[in-house]
Amino acid sequence: MRFHRVLVAVCILAVAAAAVRNGFATPPDGDANSFAAADAQILAEVRDHSEVMENLEYLSDGIGPRLTGSPQLRQANEWTAETMKKYGLVNVHLEPWMIAHAWSRGTARARIIAPTEHSLTIASAGWAPSTPGVVRGPVVYFDAKTKEDFEKFKGKLKNAIVITQEPQPLSPPRPEDINAEYLRPMQAPPPVKGQPAAPSPFAAAQELARARNEFFQSEGVGVVLRDSNKPHALLNMTGVGGEKFAIGPIPTAFITGEGYRMIWRMMKHGTVTVEIEMNNSFSDQPVEVFNTVGEIRGSEKPEELVILGAHLDSWDLGTGSTDNGTGSMAVLEAARALVKSGVKPKRTIRFVLFTGEEEGLVGSVKYVEAHKNELEKVSAVLVHDTGTGRVLTLGLHDNYQDREIVDQVLAPLSELKLLEPRMVRSFGTDHASFDDVGVPGFWCVQNGAEYSKTHHSQSDTFDKVWKDDLNQGAQVLAVWAYNTAQLPAMLPRRPLPYRPSEAEAKAASGGGGLAADPVAEADSKLIAQVKADQGQLQADLSYLADRIGPRLTASPKLEEASRWTLEQFKALGLENAHLEPWTVPTGWTRGPASGQLTAPTEQMLTLASAGWSPATNGPTRGPVLGVGVKRLEELKPYAGKLKGAIVLLDRPGETEGPTNPMLTPFAESNLPLEHPKNMALTDFRGRMRTLQDEVKFLKDEGAVAVLISSEKWFGLMNMSTGFSRQYQPNPIPTAYMARESAALLWRLLDAGPVEAEVNIQGNFTGKPVTVYNTVAEIKGDEKPDEVVIIGGHLDSWDLGTGATDNGTGSMAVLAAARALVKSGVKPKRTIRFILFTGEEQGLNGSRAYVAGHKEEMSKISGVLVHDTGTGKVLTIGLMHNYAAREPIDRALYPLAREKSIGLAEPSLRSEGGSDHVPFDEVGVPASWCIQEVANYEKDHHSQTDTLDRVKWDDLAEGAQVLAVYAYNVAQLPEMLPRKPVPPAQPNTR
C-alpha cells in the first residue's frame, strides 16, 4: 500500500491522501455554518449545565420502578410532564391508552425438596397468575422443538415443574464485548421494491410458544421455570401476558442461573422435585396508561415534526435506571438543552416518553395509531434505549435513502467521536413502531456498559449509570434533532414492503417453498474452492516473496514477477491474459546507506536511502541542523545557515498505533498505521505542495543531505520516495533513519552542536524503463462488455520481500481467479483480474490503466482492491458511494451469512493510498478491503515485510471475499450505481 512518509509530523497526511473526503459527508455550506454555531451551543449547554443525573436519581430513587399500569408509572408521567413545562416545552400533555389488566407482583418462593433440600431464588414473570397454593412436582425438561415433538410428553406433565432450555455455562464468564452491537456481521438486506417483506424473526418462535402454552394448559403443567441466564444470582424478567396485557396462561417464574444449573445437574442423576408458591394480583378492570408528550414549536414549518423518544416504563426488580430511565432522562436533557441554548428549529421537535414498551412496544404502537393522520409530516424518529453506555452511532433500520443526509446531520459532532452509522435493524425499541408504517425510525447503537447484567434484573439501579456517557447520549439526541429539523426537506422514505396474502405468497413460491438460489449455490462453491486450494495460495505467495523477492518498480525482479503471474493466469485458462506496458522515466537501484555521529560523540546511525534518491559524493560530513516547520515562512531564519549541512527534518512526536478500523471514529482515517497522537485531518495536497517548496529551499541553500525519521520504533525502517515525484530523482540526497537514531540526534541538538557523516547511495538507469500491469479475465456470457475488476498491486518496496504489501493482495486475486475457474461458475459480466505496478510511488500503474482504458470506464460496474496486508477482511469501503450501498449489501450478504467470514456492513468511508482511487476519481464504483491491523503498522514498508508475517487463514478468507464480490456483482440485474465525479484536483505527486 502506497503512502508517502516524508515527515513523521505529516505521516498521516500521507496515509489519508483522501482525508478531505473521509468520514461524514459535509453539509451544504449554508447548512454547515448554521449547524456548527447552534450545535456548539447545544453541546456546551449539556456539557456545562446538565441536569440529567439529578433527574435520573429522582426517577430511580424518588419514584422507583415503573411497571406499566402501576401508580409509580402514573407518577412518572405526571412528573415528566411537569418537568417538560418547567423547561419551557409547549403542548405538554399525557396521551392515554388502555391495557386490559394491571398486574402487581406478590411473593414468590421455591425450593428443591428431593432428592435433597435447597432453597431457590425466583421471581414471578410479569402478568403470570398465582399458583393454586403450594405446587409440588417433578422437574421435566420439555425439549420439543416442533409441535410434532409435543406428543412424546402427552400424559406426562400433570403438576410438573417444566423447564424448556438447556443451560449454557456461566463460568468462566463470557467475554463482554462492549462494541458487540456495532461489530456484528451484516444482517440480511431488506426485500427489494415489490418483493414481500421478510418474515418476522420472532414469528416462528412466537407461534411455537403459543402452541406450547396451550399444550401445557391442557396437560395440567404446574409451573414453568425459566433460566435467567445471568451470573451472580441476577434474575431476568419479561412478561407472559403479551401485548394485550392478558392474564398469563401458566404460572411462570424466572430462577437464577445458578439455581437452574443446579437443577439441571441433579436431573442427570434422577428425579428432582421442586416446591413453588407464587402470589400475584390483577386489576379487575382495564387501566388507563399514558405517553408523556411535549414539544418545541417549529419557527418555519411547525406542522412538520422531528421526534426524540424513549420509554418511561420499566420492569420492577430494580428501579429501571438503565432500562430505560437513562433514555428517558437523556430525552428530557436534550429538550432542556435545546430550549436553554436559544436555538429556533424550523420544524417542531417533539419529545415522547412512551410506556408499555417492555410488553411489546405497545405505547409507541398506540401513539402511531392515534397520530396516523400526521405521520406523513414526521421527518424522522430517534430513540435512546440500550442502557447507560455512550452512543456509538445511529442504527438506521434499513433506511438506505437517508444515509447521506444523516451523515451530514452528524458531521458537526466530530468531538463526540461517533462511529459510522449502520443500516442495522433492531425490533426491540420504539423506533420500530414508526419504521413499520414508513416513517424513518432510527435507534442509538450504544456501548454495552454492563447492560447484559443490569437489563431487567435487580441490578438495574442508579449506581450503575455512567454519567459522562449518558450526557454524551443527550448531546447526540439534541444535535441530531436540531440539525434534522433544519434540513431543507424532510427525510426521504423507503417504500413499505409488499405484503402478499397467504395465498399469494404460496402461489409465488409455486406452493413448494423457496426456490433454489443459483447465486447462493455458486457462492458456496467459491468459498469452498478457495479453502480447498489454500495450499496453492500459500505456495504461490511463498514463491513470489522468497524466490522472486522484493519487486521495486522498474526493477528486473518486478518484471520477473509480472511474467510469472502472467503464466499463472494462462495456466488457469483465463482469457485475454496479457501484460499492459507503461513507462517510468528512470529506474533506480538501492545502494548502501550509512551514517555516524562524529561530534559531540561517535555513534553509528541506522539509515536507508529513500527511493529515487541521488547519491552523496561518497561519505559526506557536515553539521546536523534540525528543521521543524509547518509553514514555508518559518524557513526564513535558516537562510544562509544550511550550506554543507545535513538537515534532520521534524522532531518525532508522540504517536499512537492503529485500532480496530471498524471502531475508528467516522470523521478520522482508519488506515492501519502509526500516526501522531490527537492528529487532526489536514489538507494533504496543500501540505505536499509546501514540502516541494521546502526541499527546493534546502537545495538552494546548499544542504548536502536530508534525513527523515521513521515513525516506527525498535529499529524498524520506513520507506518511500521522499521528495521524488513521477520517478524523477529527488532534488537532494535523502535517507530514512531509524526512529531511535533520530531521537538521539534531536536530544544532542537540544544540548549543542552536532556533526555527522552520511553516505547515501543509489543508482539511476538514466533512461526510461517499461513496466507492466498483468491482466486476465473470465468473459461474461450475457454482458461481456460490462466488467467487474478485482485487483492488487504486484510491486513492493525493497527493505523486506513485499510479502504483505502487497504480495498478499496479489496472490489473493490469483486465488480468487483460480476458484472462479475451477468452480465452473458462468458470470453474466466479464470478471477482470489486474495486478498493478508502480503503486508504491503514487498509484501509477492503476493511473496508467485508467488512462489507457478511458473509453471503457463507463462499462466498469465495480472495482475491489485488496491492499492492507495480511489481516482478516472485515468489510469493504465504498468511497462515499451512497447509491451503491444497498446493491453492494445484497452482493456481499452471503459473506456475512458464512460464519467463518462474518463480513460486517460495508463502510462508506473514503480512503486513499491504494489502486481503487484512480477508478473512483473518474466515477467508477471503486472499493477497498478494510482489514484487521495484524501488525501492518510495523511491517508496512519495513524490513519485516516478509513471509513470516502472513496469516494464511485470513489471507484465504480475503480471496473468498474477492471471488464472491466479483461473481455476485457480475450477476446483479444492473451495473452498480455511480456517484458524481468530484472536481479535478491538481496533481502534486
Side-chain angles (χ1 to χ4, degrees):
M1 188 169 239
R2 172 260 178 188
F3 305 115
H4 286 299
R5 289 305 186 74
V6 182
L7 311 172
V8 170
V10 294
C11 68
I12 280 296
L13 295 178
V15 169
V20 293
R21 297 170 55 224
N22 189 64
F24 290 112
T26 305
D29 290 341
D31 290 336
N33 294 333
S34 62
F35 282 3
D39 293 347
Q41 290 177 264
I42 296 166
L43 294 175
E45 180 59 38
V46 176
R47 182 178 61 246
D48 300 336
H49 306 291
S50 175
E51 297 181 10
V52 71
M53 293 298 284
E54 175 186 337
N55 287 334
L56 182 53
E57 183 176 356
Y58 179 77
L59 180 70
S60 301
D61 298 347
I63 297 177
R66 302 165 302 282
L67 198 62
T68 298
S70 68
Q72 291 96 329
L73 182 58
R74 176 63 183 267
Q75 183 184 354
N77 283 129
E78 292 171 349
W79 172 73
T80 51
E82 289 304 311
T83 304
M84 286 181 177
K85 291 174 184 176
K86 181 180 77 173
Y87 286 160
L89 301 190
V90 299
N91 190 24
V92 176
H93 60 283
L94 301 182
E95 295 194 358
W97 56 280
M98 302 297 293
I99 65 173
H101 299 279
W103 177 84
S104 296
R105 181 182 303 282
T107 60
R109 64 180 186 85
R111 65 191 183 106
I112 298 172
I113 58 175
T116 186
E117 292 191 7
H118 288 286
S119 63
L120 300 170
T121 301
I122 67 168
S124 173
W127 276 261
S130 302
T131 57
V134 176
V135 174
R136 298 179 184 90
V139 180
V140 176
Y141 173 41
F142 186 82
D143 63 352
K145 301 297 187 291
T146 67
K147 295 177 185 178
E148 290 72 26
D149 294 338
F150 293 0
E151 285 301 311
K152 67 182 180 182
F153 292 97
K154 210 162 184 60
K156 300 177 181 179
L157 299 180
K158 184 71 172 176
N159 294 325
I161 311 300
V162 172
I163 62 176
T164 61
Q165 296 169 280
E166 181 175 351
Q168 300 302 308
L170 294 177
S171 294
R174 294 184 294 271
E176 185 169 346
D177 185 350
I178 60 175
N179 300 303
E181 187 66 54
Y182 189 82
L183 293 175
R184 65 185 182 183
M186 173 174 53
Q187 293 175 336
V192 297
K193 185 176 181 180
Q195 287 187 347
S200 165
F202 313 113
Q206 288 170 339
E207 171 55 25
L208 184 64
R210 184 200 60 76
R212 186 171 58 208
N213 285 336
E214 288 182 358
F215 183 74
F216 286 172
Q217 281 185 300
S218 67
E219 292 293 308
V221 165
V223 177
V224 174
L225 272 186
R226 297 179 62 176
D227 180 13
S228 290
N229 199 31
K230 293 177 184 280
H232 309 306
L234 292 174
L235 289 161
N236 204 347
M237 186 49 53
T238 189
V240 294
E243 298 170 5
K244 295 182 179 180
F245 294 85
I247 298 172
I250 306 286
T252 303
F254 281 90
I255 181 173
T256 62
E258 292 83 354
Y260 194 92
R261 283 151 185 77
M262 180 168 62
I263 291 172
W264 183 266
R265 292 192 301 271
M266 293 174 69
M267 288 175 66
K268 294 178 181 178
H269 305 287
T271 301
V272 178
T273 305
V274 169
E275 173 184 279
I276 298 177
E277 183 179 22
M278 299 191 304
N279 293 290
N280 302 311
S281 60
F282 294 87
S283 65
D284 295 328
Q285 301 294 326
V287 173
E288 192 173 46
V289 293
F290 304 90
N291 296 322
T292 308
V293 182
E295 60 191 31
I296 299 171
R297 200 71 177 158
S299 60
E300 295 182 16
K301 300 177 180 180
E303 74 286 356
E304 295 181 2
L305 303 172
V306 174
I307 295 177
L308 289 180
H311 70 89
L312 190 58
D313 64 303
S314 74
W315 284 111
D316 59 336
L317 297 184
T319 60
S321 296
T322 68
D323 187 20
N324 184 35
T326 42
S328 295
M329 296 305 97
V331 169
L332 268 188
E333 177 59 21
R336 187 199 67 79
L338 285 162
V339 173
K340 196 72 174 176
S341 60
V343 297
K344 302 296 182 186
K346 294 178 181 178
R347 293 178 179 82
T348 294
I349 300 176
R350 184 170 293 170
F351 309 88
V352 187
L353 303 181
F354 304 104
T355 51
E357 189 272 354
E358 295 293 7
E359 294 75 35
L361 315 184
V362 185
S364 54
V365 169
K366 297 296 184 181
Y367 178 93
V368 167
E369 291 173 355
H371 292 262
K372 61 184 179 182
N373 292 331
E374 70 175 10
L375 294 179
E376 289 299 321
K377 292 295 186 179
V378 179
S379 182
V381 177
L382 176 60
V383 168
H384 186 298
D385 179 22
T386 324
T388 189
R390 69 182 291 268
V391 173
L392 301 174
T393 191
L394 303 189
L396 302 189
H397 203 103
D398 291 336
N399 283 287
Y400 290 88
Q401 76 285 352
D402 294 325
R403 172 57 198 277
E404 184 170 9
I405 300 172
V406 169
D407 279 6
Q408 295 171 5
V409 163
L410 297 180
L413 289 175
S414 58
E415 70 178 78
L416 300 186
K417 296 189 175 297
L418 295 179
L419 304 182
E420 181 173 0
R422 302 198 69 193
M423 284 301 137
V424 63
R425 297 182 292 278
S426 174
F427 298 95
T429 83
D430 288 303
H431 77 282
S433 302
F434 293 87
D435 208 82
D436 284 346
V437 295
V439 176
F442 309 148
W443 58 289
C444 293
V445 181
Q446 295 176 246
N447 178 311
E450 303 179 299
Y451 194 58
S452 63
K453 296 183 179 69
T454 64
H455 177 255
H456 293 193
S457 82
Q458 65 269 44
S459 186
D460 186 1
T461 51
F462 181 74
D463 45 281
K464 306 305 188 301
V465 175
W466 298 9
K467 175 183 176 181
D468 292 343
D469 285 12
L470 184 54
N471 277 317
Q472 182 258 12
Q475 289 176 314
V476 173
L477 293 179
V479 169
W480 176 86
Y482 176 75
N483 291 358
T484 302
Q486 300 304 96
L487 290 170
M490 289 172 53
L491 287 176
R493 299 189 173 207
R494 183 179 184 84
L496 288 174
Y498 168 56
R499 299 185 185 278
S501 66
E502 187 175 340
E504 289 173 324
K506 188 174 182 179
S509 64
L514 294 176
D517 181 352
V519 173
E521 291 176 358
D523 293 340
S524 296
K525 289 181 182 178
L526 291 170
I527 290 169
Q529 190 65 58
V530 171
K531 192 64 179 175
D533 288 338
Q534 185 171 328
Q536 186 60 51
L537 169 60
Q538 186 166 347
D540 289 341
L541 182 52
S542 298
Y543 185 86
L544 180 70
D546 290 351
R547 297 298 183 92
I548 297 178
R551 303 165 301 282
L552 194 63
T553 297
S555 69
K557 286 292 186 181
L558 180 59
E559 181 166 346
E560 180 184 352
S562 296
R563 297 190 182 281
W564 174 75
T565 51
L566 176 63
E567 291 308 311
Q568 305 312 302
F569 281 154
K570 288 180 177 178
L572 291 175
L574 296 177
E575 301 171 74
N576 194 24
H578 62 284
L579 298 178
E580 294 197 0
W582 59 280
T583 303
V584 302
T586 181
W588 177 83
T589 304
R590 178 180 306 284
S594 60
Q596 61 178 354
L597 274 167
T598 57
T601 185
E602 293 186 359
Q603 284 196 42
M604 298 303 296
L605 303 172
T606 303
L607 306 181
S609 303
W612 276 257
S613 171
T616 55
N617 189 18
T620 300
R621 291 194 174 204
V624 177
L625 263 66
V627 175
V629 300
K630 294 182 179 178
R631 295 182 298 275
L632 200 58
E633 55 268 24
E634 294 175 359
L635 286 171
K636 291 179 181 177
Y638 296 96
K641 300 178 182 178
L642 298 177
K643 189 170 182 60
I646 298 168
V647 174
L648 178 61
L649 278 182
D650 278 15
R651 184 189 299 268
E654 188 177 1
T655 62
E656 57 188 357
T659 58
N660 183 327
M662 299 297 292
L663 296 176
T664 303
F666 194 43
E668 301 175 11
S669 171
N670 75 344
L671 290 172
L673 297 172
E674 194 87 11
H675 55 274
K677 206 167 186 178
N678 301 319
M679 177 207 70
L681 295 176
T682 312
D683 174 14
F684 169 75
R685 295 180 184 276
R687 180 57 178 148
M688 295 308 296
R689 286 190 292 271
T690 299
L691 290 172
Q692 300 305 301
D693 293 335
E694 197 172 310
V695 73
K696 182 178 184 302
F697 175 87
L698 298 177
K699 179 177 175 61
D700 292 346
E701 288 292 315
V704 295
V706 173
L707 303 180
I708 303 170
S709 173
S710 171
E711 82 282 4
K712 310 173 195 288
W713 287 107
F714 305 107
L716 294 176
M717 300 297 289
N718 196 9
M719 186 48 53
S720 188
T721 55
F723 302 103
S724 170
R725 292 294 174 273
Q726 299 299 320
Y727 302 96
Q728 297 297 329
N730 262 300
I732 190 169
T734 303
Y736 282 88
M737 169 182 280
R739 186 163 182 174
E740 290 83 355
S741 294
L744 169 65
L745 288 180
W746 278 105
R747 289 195 300 271
L748 293 174
L749 285 168
D750 288 340
V754 176
E755 294 184 2
E757 177 183 282
V758 297
N759 185 5
I760 301 169
Q761 296 299 309
N763 300 304
F764 294 95
T765 61
K767 60 181 180 180
V769 178
T770 300
V771 292
Y772 305 92
N773 295 324
T774 312
V775 183
E777 61 191 26
I778 298 172
K779 209 72 172 173
D781 65 355
E782 292 184 19
K783 301 178 179 181
D785 58 325
E786 295 179 4
V787 180
V788 177
I789 293 174
I790 56 174
H793 71 87
L794 191 57
D795 64 304
S796 73
W797 281 109
D798 57 339
L799 297 184
T801 61
T804 69
D805 188 19
N806 185 33
T808 44
S810 295
M811 295 303 97
V813 171
L814 179 58
R818 180 181 297 110
L820 285 158
V821 170
K822 292 178 70 173
S823 63
V825 297
K826 302 295 183 186
K828 294 178 181 179
R829 295 177 177 85
T830 294
I831 299 175
R832 190 168 293 163
F833 312 93
I834 310 179
L835 305 182
F836 302 104
T837 50
E839 190 270 357
E840 295 292 9
Q841 296 78 38
L843 319 182
N844 294 298
S846 51
R847 293 191 186 283
Y849 181 90
V850 168
H853 293 259
K854 60 184 178 182
E855 298 302 324
E856 71 172 11
M857 288 296 113
S858 64
K859 290 293 188 178
I860 297 178
S861 181
V863 176
L864 178 60
V865 169
H866 186 300
D867 180 21
T868 322
T870 186
K872 174 183 174 69
V873 175
L874 302 172
T875 190
I876 71 172
L878 301 182
M879 300 293 285
H880 281 88
N881 189 347
Y882 291 97
R885 173 60 203 274
E886 187 169 357
I888 280 289
D889 279 13
R890 299 187 191 287
L892 296 186
Y893 175 63
L895 295 167
R897 188 175 53 206
E898 174 63 39
K899 290 183 178 180
S900 64
I901 299 174
L903 201 75
E905 281 190 20
S907 168
L908 281 159
R909 287 179 178 274
S910 291
E911 293 285 7
S914 189
D915 287 306
H916 66 287
V917 172
F919 293 91
D920 176 74
E921 289 173 346
V922 297
V924 174
S927 306
W928 50 288
C929 292
I930 298 176
Q931 297 174 243
E932 284 184 345
V933 176
N935 291 316
Y936 191 65
E937 79 283 12
K938 298 181 178 68
D939 301 332
H940 172 258
H941 293 193
S942 83
Q943 63 270 42
T944 63
D945 184 4
T946 57
L947 196 69
D948 322 72
R949 301 303 192 272
V950 176
K951 300 173 71 173
W952 295 107
D953 288 345
D954 288 351
L955 178 56
E957 185 217 285
Q960 290 170 327
V961 171
L962 293 177
V964 170
Y965 167 92
Y967 179 73
N968 289 4
V969 172
Q971 301 306 97
L972 289 173
E974 306 292 337
M975 289 175 58
L976 287 174
R978 302 191 167 216
K979 63 180 182 180
V981 179
Q985 296 286 341
N987 190 351
T988 61
R989 292 186 172 87

